[in-house]
Amino acid sequence: QQLRALFYALPPAESSFRTLEEVPDYVEKSIPFFITFIGLEFAVSWIRKRKLPGRINDGISSLSLGILSRLPDVLFRSIELISYIYVWNNCRLFELPWDSPWTWYLTLLGVDFAYYCFHRMSHEVNILWAAHQVHHSSEDYNLFTALRQSVLQKYTSWMFNLPMALFIPPSVFAVHLQFNLLYQFWIHTEVITKLGPLEWILNTPSHHRVHHGRNPYCIDKNYGGTLIIWDRIFGTFEAEDAEVVYGLTHPVNSFDPIMLQLRPLAHIWNMFWATPGFCNKLSVIFKGPGWGPGKPRLGLPEEIPVITGKEVPFNPYVPAYLNCYALVHFAVVVDLYTELLASMTMLSQGTVLLRIGFIILSLVSFGLLMENKSEAGILEIIRCLVFIVVYKLGYFRSQFSFLGYAYEV
């Protein structure tokens, strides 16, 4: 059942629930499948091309951003559900039956259309792009990239779903919100080429590769989540043509997850104060990321950097032993993170905050290590000392008790 959920293949009879409390956490239960498919992607890529589909530094960066994006959910319920439930309780016009297949299919279309609208606005409104660009910052394209998410994006996407709260029960909405997200995992790969007639209706790896490209023909195309029909209807569809070069038109060149989250906001802040005129200042926030005084809303297409085919991804040299070190310690942090998710209801808020703080410190340290920054060594020594002290005091624990001594070593 969980495998079918990953492909939006659970029928209404198996995924309709009367109350919100009955809705499974499909995303958390899909983690083993994420790991399995990533392993399969690596195996297939190696067999076909004798090369791996990504790099260690970029992979750690993507997973770090994925973990970071989920940490707020440890502290409080998703704002998407909180806002939806509020509108449902106070403003709904009528109530569609939760167990009707028609409600299920209508919600599928509604959630996917809301995602298209939000996704398109996230590319066309600078302040929304500042959050969303994190997902596009990888210069590799693999299943790790699917997990590369923004901390801030959920605080801008929730409003696009609210019209459905006027008539669609929260339990039905919560299912499709997860399914729409899960579906988009498997389309982040180069291993799958074309899918024949399905390309006309569904968002596929081929369509989504275009969306992640920085080639001029790829910019602002293929916004769909599960379905590609919205792009075909509204003129934002583009088929895969020339070889796609991935990443941002102006790469951030960092593996530090905090830097990747905040640098675009700092750019908007600086541009806001440097741009003369009140209306122009508002345009900095609400027009496209390529806008400037005297330019059209979305900027000038001719200013998009030309792709030569000789682009080199940001890839600082790091000794092999340091890559191994980072991988081992990152695995420890992933273990601590998953144990936190499993036990957070039994922990005091202080302990939860302490663990979250340590996880963030670790992810930043790993990012600096992957960039071979001079300050990384000092930060890593501090991080390890903090770990030993807090672990000895009993505030951390592994899911695997037999690893306790190994972690201290």
Side-chain angles (χ1 to χ4, degrees):
Q1 189 185 61
Q2 198 58 46
L3 179 61
R4 286 182 290 138
L6 202 60
F7 295 93
Y8 222 129
L10 278 180
E14 292 184 59
S15 54
S16 295
F17 304 92
R18 181 185 296 275
T19 65
L20 194 60
E21 289 69 29
E22 296 176 70
V23 177
D25 190 338
Y26 290 106
V27 175
E28 186 176 332
K29 290 181 178 179
S30 294
I31 291 175
F33 291 99
F34 293 162
I35 297 168
T36 301
F37 279 112
I38 287 169
L40 284 173
E41 181 187 38
F42 271 68
V44 172
S45 181
W46 181 257
I47 291 168
R48 283 184 182 174
K49 304 177 182 178
R50 285 294 183 269
K51 73 173 203 177
L52 298 177
R55 297 164 292 149
I56 290 174
N57 48 23
D58 191 81
I60 288 178
S61 177
S62 291
L63 290 173
S64 296
L65 288 162
I67 291 172
L68 200 63
S69 71
R70 299 279 291 177
L71 288 179
D73 296 337
V74 174
L75 295 174
F76 37 78
R77 200 175 204 175
S78 165
I79 189 172
E80 292 170 311
L81 287 177
I82 290 173
S83 57
Y84 193 96
I85 292 167
Y86 179 84
V87 173
W88 170 260
N89 288 337
N90 296 280
C91 307
R92 71 176 179 266
L93 303 176
F94 56 91
E95 182 174 340
L96 292 178
W98 66 269
D99 54 352
S100 168
W102 292 107
T103 304
W104 195 95
Y105 288 113
L106 178 63
T107 311
L108 185 159
L109 293 173
V111 168
D112 201 59
F113 180 63
Y115 179 81
Y116 171 86
C117 295
F118 155 72
H119 198 183
R120 184 169 179 174
M121 288 299 99
S122 293
H123 283 252
E124 296 184 0
V125 176
N126 204 13
I127 192 67
L128 300 184
W129 171 246
H132 181 63
Q133 59 81 38
V134 171
H135 183 60
H136 286 263
S137 59
S138 174
E139 294 176 276
D140 294 341
Y141 189 76
N142 50 46
L143 293 176
F144 283 128
T145 310
L147 306 177
R148 193 182 189 94
Q149 298 294 330
S150 167
V151 172
L152 303 173
Q153 182 171 292
K154 66 184 72 179
Y155 301 105
T156 60
S157 62
W158 57 272
M159 62 190 75
F160 291 84
N161 294 311
L162 295 186
M164 289 181 286
L166 300 175
F167 52 92
I168 291 174
S171 61
V172 184
F173 167 74
V175 167
H176 288 275
L177 188 66
Q178 293 186 77
F179 284 178
N180 192 273
L181 176 65
L182 287 172
Y183 179 90
Q184 294 177 58
F185 171 74
W186 72 274
I187 60 177
H188 289 82
T189 184
E190 293 185 296
V191 167
I192 299 171
T193 53
K194 299 276 188 176
L195 294 177
L198 294 177
E199 303 278 341
W200 285 95
I201 302 169
L202 298 176
N203 193 13
T204 65
S206 175
H207 297 330
H208 206 59
R209 284 193 289 269
V210 171
H211 179 70
H212 273 259
R214 54 175 156 144
N215 313 54
Y217 87 92
C218 298
I219 302 298
D220 295 341
K221 300 295 181 183
N222 299 0
Y223 296 114
T226 301
L227 304 172
I228 203 65
I229 57 174
W230 314 117
D231 290 284
R232 294 186 183 277
I233 291 170
F234 297 110
T236 53
F237 174 75
E238 189 69 44
E240 188 175 21
D241 186 11
E243 183 177 356
V244 178
V245 177
Y246 303 107
L248 301 169
T249 55
H250 299 88
V252 179
N253 291 341
S254 177
F255 298 123
D256 177 354
I258 302 298
M259 179 68 73
L260 287 165
Q261 299 281 353
L262 298 182
R263 184 180 286 180
L265 289 172
H267 174 71
I268 290 176
W269 176 263
N270 293 332
M271 192 174 172
F272 178 87
W273 291 111
T275 303
F278 180 72
C279 290
N280 283 339
K281 288 183 185 297
L282 290 180
S283 295
V284 168
I285 298 173
F286 296 110
K287 289 188 178 180
W291 178 85
K295 297 178 184 178
R297 182 175 68 88
L298 299 180
L300 297 169
E302 56 267 28
E303 290 185 351
I304 298 170
V306 175
I307 296 301
T308 63
K310 299 178 181 179
E311 288 73 21
V312 178
F314 176 64
N315 195 29
Y317 170 74
V318 174
Y321 74 86
L322 199 54
N323 277 326
C324 292
Y325 174 91
L327 278 173
V328 169
H329 280 256
F330 185 78
V332 173
V333 170
V334 170
D335 176 33
L336 295 176
Y337 167 70
T338 52
E339 201 278 330
L340 172 62
L341 293 181
S343 62
M344 59 187 179
T345 55
M346 298 178 288
L347 301 173
S348 69
Q349 191 151 13
T351 302
V352 170
L353 289 172
L354 181 64
R355 293 190 183 189
I356 288 175
F358 178 77
I359 289 170
I360 293 173
L361 173 64
S362 299
L363 300 180
V364 171
S365 184
F366 299 149
L368 295 179
L369 283 173
M370 294 295 93
E371 294 178 37
N372 215 355
K373 289 285 185 69
S374 57
E375 61 267 31
I378 296 172
L379 183 62
E380 183 61 14
I381 289 170
I382 293 171
R383 188 190 74 86
C384 288
L385 290 174
V386 170
F387 175 84
I388 290 171
V389 171
V390 177
Y391 198 86
K392 279 292 189 183
L393 291 173
Y395 290 103
F396 290 166
R397 70 174 179 222
S398 168
Q399 294 183 92
F400 312 102
S401 56
F402 62 90
L403 288 177
Y405 180 69
Y407 279 2
E408 293 174 38
V409 171

